Amino acid sequence: MQSFTFYNPTQIIFGRDKVAELAHLVPASAKVLILYGGASAEKTGTLAEVRAALGDRVVQEFGGIEPNPTYETLMKAVEQVQREKIDFLLAVGGGSVIDGTKFVAAAACFEGDAWDILLQHGSNVTRALPFGTVLTLPATGSEMNNGAVVTRKATHTKLAFMSRHVFPVFSVLDPTKTFTLPPRQIANGIVDAFVHTVEQYLTYPVQGLAQDRFAEGLLQTLIEIAPKALAEPEDYDTRANLMWTATLALNGLIGAGVPQDWASHMIGHELTALYGIDHARTLAIVLPSLLNAQRNTKRAKLLQYAERVWHLTSGSDDERIDAAIARTRAFFESLGISTRLSGYDLGSEAVDAVVKQLETHGMTRLGEHQDITPQVSRTILEAAL
Ligand code: NZQ
Ligand code: ZN
């Protein structure tokens, strides 16, 4: 097992009706800014619950954080925070709102051009405002991690940053908040959590026995609950399992002490930045093709994945690997998510554009062996046409 440091200070408050706990979770004297996305938080009644729980605290609001949050929008929130001397942020939404809040928390305390936070991937963040979250969409794990992804609209640049200063202080996870999600977002959430797990599991063996079993358990849980999560939106236990599984997939635990890939994410971010494809859908396009292209360096783990996750035990090594990749693709497609660029009306011009953007953003040595060069990315994307 590789050496590691594990740190995760986020308190999780999980269950039905837990939004009311904000009354105790947010400091009584805080000057609070609630951040949210489009219309959903108001329409579902979650914002009303949040306002009620905050009681007579001084509270302001900032709405309009878009999916794939933009730097341009978030800087308006930063201005409000500084102008109004806000000292506590509360994100109400999915990964985009939470990521956006992380950026606002860091940028409000940052001296200099805040875009540098993204350019330096967070290494220059030395402090941030404290913030909590009310999660409404299980997918990203942002509610219990220290990463965020922000897009600069003007240049189609989608970059991530990480900092120990942007872990949420707390996150409220009420599975009933997911009941209003459209099937498209549930499907996205399942795929995102699945690929987060794969990016930290399907690399090469380092004798991380518990991490492997834990990752396989998360993958099998997602496969098991997926049909019901789509068909029965108000099945509490199914949604509770989806919510907690998605959190566990990217809260640092399964990634501790093992190699990590993340190439599907980096290539996928370019597809979102250029063409606006939902984050999870970009992963569904890239991952099956990437697993096939990297089958030699990932061979041992692909065979383990085939056997333990998909119970594939007959045939040659290559046949079992082929079958495991095919099952992965079929799983994504069964959720209504196309795994081909053509499913999004994109052709070879998109391959050229993505490869060019990867080069511009320095994404030229991706993967657990840093062997995914722009040429390999091109091969992966061409096989996904
Ligand atoms: O904007 P509103 O009206 O609120 O609607 C949202 C949005 O349109 C809607 N929604 C959210 N909760 C709802 C709801 N609709 C009905 N009922 C509810 N309870 O869902 C839509 C999508 O929301 P969004 O937050 O964009 O989705 P998601 O949680 O998938 O977040 C995606 C973003 O997270 C980043 C992605 O790159 C992308 O920008 N990621 C963040 C990560 C992290 N911080 O660790 C890791 C991930 O790999 C990912 O990159
Ligand atoms: Zn993701």
Side-chain angles (χ1 to χ4, degrees):
M1 198 186 303
Q2 297 178 345
S3 304
F4 65 90
T5 301
F6 179 72
Y7 170 72
N8 193 318
T10 302
Q11 182 186 358
I12 297 294
I13 303 91
F14 191 100
R16 224 185 263 277
D17 299 328
K18 293 295 185 190
V19 172
E21 305 262 324
L22 290 173
H24 317 292
L25 292 163
V26 177
S29 59
K31 200 168 177 191
V32 184
L33 183 68
I34 302 173
L35 298 101
Y36 60 96
S40 82
E42 189 78 71
K43 219 167 87 188
T44 57
T46 304
L47 268 184
E49 270 180 71
V50 167
R51 290 179 192 124
L54 291 175
D56 54 11
R57 288 175 181 81
V58 180
V59 175
Q60 296 196 8
E61 298 185 5
F62 183 89
I65 297 178
E66 54 281 85
N68 309 305
T70 67
Y71 170 78
E72 287 86 347
T73 298
L74 298 172
M75 286 311 289
K76 292 183 191 148
V78 172
E79 273 169 40
Q80 185 173 343
V81 165
Q82 291 174 334
R83 188 178 65 239
E84 304 292 333
K85 306 207 169 5
I86 299 289
D87 57 21
F88 195 93
L89 307 180
L90 185 59
V92 179
S96 294
V97 172
I98 300 174
D99 281 11
T101 300
K102 290 176 178 178
F103 177 75
V104 172
C109 304
F110 191 75
E111 282 168 24
D113 180 357
W115 184 247
D116 279 345
I117 294 173
L118 277 313
L119 291 178
Q120 304 293 325
H121 303 295
S123 61
N124 49 0
V125 173
T126 54
R127 61 203 174 94
L129 288 179
F131 66 97
T133 89
V134 174
L135 181 68
T136 64
L137 197 174
T140 63
S142 188
E143 65 279 4
M144 198 179 175
N145 70 35
N146 66 341
V149 195
V150 174
T151 299
R152 193 154 189 164
K153 208 164 40 182
T155 53
H156 295 284
T157 307
K158 184 172 185 177
L159 295 178
F161 83 98
M162 293 173 89
S163 163
R164 62 184 281 120
H165 303 289
V166 297
F167 279 102
V169 177
F170 64 80
S171 285
V172 176
L173 275 57
D174 176 347
T176 69
K177 295 290 160 217
T178 73
F179 290 178
T180 55
L181 281 163
R184 172 194 179 114
Q185 297 301 341
I186 291 292
N188 284 353
I190 293 167
V191 170
D192 198 18
F194 193 95
V195 180
H196 292 161
T197 308
V198 167
E199 297 261 37
Q200 301 163 88
Y201 161 73
L202 232 169
T203 57
Y204 54 90
V206 292
Q207 297 297 315
L209 302 188
Q211 293 93 323
D212 279 4
R213 295 281 186 193
F214 200 164
E216 289 152 3
L218 297 178
L219 296 173
Q220 285 178 307
T221 303
L222 290 166
I223 294 163
E224 183 179 331
I225 65 176
K228 216 167 172 184
L230 283 172
E232 297 180 32
E234 304 211 356
D235 184 287
Y236 179 85
D237 282 324
T238 300
R239 292 299 174 92
N241 277 293
L242 174 57
M243 201 170 224
W244 189 225
T245 301
T247 302
L248 291 169
L250 196 50
N251 71 351
L253 200 56
I254 64 167
V258 298
Q260 303 191 12
D261 181 340
W262 298 111
S264 294
H265 270 73
M266 295 309 119
I267 300 170
H269 285 169
E270 303 298 354
L271 279 166
T272 300
L274 286 170
Y275 304 110
I277 302 172
D278 292 353
H279 170 65
R281 288 163 192 255
T282 68
L283 305 175
I285 297 167
V286 178
L287 182 79
S289 181
L290 180 139
L291 293 179
N292 189 47
Q294 298 298 96
R295 65 196 294 140
N296 288 332
T297 55
K298 289 184 184 290
R299 179 164 292 268
K301 279 314 228 359
L302 275 166
L303 289 167
Q304 183 177 325
Y305 170 68
E307 181 179 344
R308 293 196 191 168
V309 176
W310 295 109
H311 312 298
L312 298 163
T313 50
S314 59
S316 68
D317 285 4
D318 276 307
E319 281 165 357
R320 296 202 307 282
I321 290 172
D322 284 342
I325 295 171
R327 294 290 283 272
T328 308
R329 187 184 290 285
F331 176 56
F332 297 162
E333 297 272 355
S334 78
L335 305 173
I337 293 188
S338 174
T339 60
R340 297 275 174 198
L341 283 165
S342 53
Y344 305 85
D345 295 324
L346 294 176
S348 56
E349 71 295 338
V351 176
D352 293 338
V354 168
V355 172
K356 191 158 167 253
Q357 288 290 76
L358 285 167
E359 282 170 344
T360 305
H361 299 143
M363 303 289 171
T364 53
R365 300 181 65 81
L366 300 173
E368 67 271 19
H369 297 292
Q370 291 91 51
D371 59 352
I372 302 186
T373 59
Q375 186 51 44
V376 179
S377 293
R378 174 177 294 283
T379 310
I380 290 167
L381 288 162
E382 280 171 351
L385 278 169

